[in-house]
Structure formats: structure tokens, C-alpha cells
Amino acid sequence: MTKYKRLLCLLALCLAIPGGLLLAKEKRAQSKAVVPQMDDSKRVIHALNRFSFGPRPGDVERLRAMGLDKWFEQQLHPEKIDDHALEARLSGFSTLAMSTREMVEKFPPPALVKAVAEGKAPMPRDPQERAIYQKQIEIYQERKAAKQEKGEANAGDADPQEMSPEQQAERRQARMQAQQKADAMLDMTPEERMQELGRMS
């Protein structure tokens, strides 16, 4: 008797499994059929939001006319995009077409100008480049002179070892007061802090 019960249960199970699988497959097919499709303009806006920096004026109409498949193909192969308009707009920026060497020659960095001014690097022989360097050296020397004048005017900001004991004490006192004021400001609300900052010189 128990053999027959087992056999009957096994048979029922064998019949139930395919039926359950068929029901699950039907439900999946129904759930897929229920998912609504987006209309073209929503799909275009969705694509622009997901795969670019968002739609600009005219992008939705242009993309709808072009088609999403063609647009994706264009995005995956940017070398095929016509950039003549962009190149025309960038033509005024000559440094974009220059090599690093050409940029350094035409727009020398401050360290190179300083080296030429101090005789550590040679002056260029080309008259145009020479004129550029001479102008940059003039600017460098003017800044250096202004810095020296400012340094002489701010003799009070000298090295602490060169200051008298009274000056060192005054400096310590000023630092302590500044630190106390900063700590007090940190305890304020943001609005009070902004007002306090506005009152500072």
C-alpha cells in the first residue's frame, strides 16, 4: 500500500511541476505585455538625460528626426561627427594648435623668465621671441622691485629672531587675540558668523 501511495505522489508531482512552470511562464508573458512603452519624445528626453548633459533647446526635435539608433551610433563613434562649426569657433585660440614647446617659446612661464633675467638661461635669438622675453623680463623686474619696496615698508613683519622682545610679545598677544576671536566665531550660528565677518575690516 505504501508503495502505491509513493508512486501516486510521485506521479502527481511529475504532473504538477510542468503545470506550475507553464503558469509561471504565462504570468511572465502577461507582466511583460503590461509594461507600457514610452512615446518617442519621452524616450528621446530619457536618452538625453541618461547619456548626455541633458537636452538643450532644439535637441529633442533634432534627435527625434535623426532617430535614437543613429544618435547612439554617432555617440559611439565621435570621429564621424562634423566639427567644422566648433573648429571655426576655436580658431581664434592659437594655443590649441601649438605644441608644448611652441607654447613655452611664445608664452614663457615665470620660472623661465626669471632664469633668463638672472642669466641662468640664454635669451632666444629669434627677434619675435626675444621681444616677448624682454617684455616678460620687464614685468618680472617691476614686480620684484614692488615686492622689495613692500618688504621695506613692512619691516614690522620681519623674522621673529630679528625682532625685539617687545615686538615679539606684541606679536604673540595679537595672535592670541586673533585665535580667541576665531574660536568665538566658531561657536556662533552661521547668521551671526556672517554678520561678524561683515563687520571685520
Side-chain angles (χ1 to χ4, degrees):
M1 184 81 179
T2 56
K3 262 187 182 181
Y4 292 116
K5 280 186 180 178
R6 282 183 191 166
L7 191 59
L8 194 59
C9 285
L10 188 60
L11 184 61
L13 190 62
C14 286
L15 291 173
I17 288 175
L21 289 172
L22 284 171
L23 280 173
K25 190 174 183 181
E26 257 182 59
K27 282 186 179 179
R28 259 187 270 134
Q30 286 175 355
S31 68
K32 283 183 182 176
V34 172
V35 175
Q37 291 293 319
M38 283 192 267
D39 66 334
D40 280 349
S41 62
K42 284 185 180 177
R43 286 180 68 219
V44 166
I45 291 170
H46 181 73
L48 286 169
N49 283 329
R50 293 292 301 269
F51 300 106
S52 73
F53 294 106
R56 295 173 299 173
D59 276 355
V60 175
E61 293 78 19
R62 185 179 56 81
L63 202 62
R64 199 180 306 139
M66 179 190 295
L68 275 176
D69 291 335
K70 190 174 179 184
W71 183 75
F72 276 117
E73 187 65 28
Q74 198 179 50
Q75 299 306 305
L76 292 171
H77 300 285
E79 66 276 0
K80 295 178 181 176
I81 297 174
D82 180 26
D83 283 335
H84 286 88
L86 177 65
E87 288 168 4
R89 289 181 74 181
L90 296 177
S91 63
F93 300 103
S94 59
T95 54
L96 294 176
M98 290 182 186
S99 68
T100 307
R101 182 185 178 104
E102 289 172 324
M103 280 194 279
V104 168
E105 288 171 355
K106 297 204 186 265
F107 306 101
L112 187 56
V113 171
K114 181 180 176 185
V116 172
E118 294 173 354
K120 295 177 182 174
M123 181 73 85
R125 293 186 179 167
D126 179 43
Q128 264 186 326
E129 289 177 29
R130 190 180 200 83
I132 291 169
Y133 274 80
Q134 287 172 341
K135 181 64 180 168
Q136 292 296 324
I137 289 170
E138 280 178 35
I139 293 169
Y140 164 73
Q141 289 172 340
E142 287 171 9
R143 284 184 184 158
K144 189 175 176 183
K147 202 173 189 181
Q148 284 177 343
E149 288 174 16
K150 188 177 177 185
E152 291 167 5
N154 294 338
D157 294 340
D159 185 17
Q161 294 174 348
E162 298 173 4
M163 296 169 77
S164 68
E166 294 83 22
Q167 289 174 325
Q168 290 178 358
E170 285 176 20
R171 192 179 217 185
R172 275 194 300 273
Q173 184 66 28
R175 283 186 181 165
M176 283 176 46
Q177 288 173 351
Q179 185 62 46
Q180 289 171 351
K181 194 164 193 173
D183 291 340
M185 285 180 69
L186 288 174
D187 294 334
M188 297 177 184
T189 64
E191 293 82 21
E192 292 172 338
R193 197 175 306 143
M194 286 303 294
Q195 289 174 357
E196 185 65 30
L197 285 171
R199 285 193 288 268
M200 286 181 162
S201 60

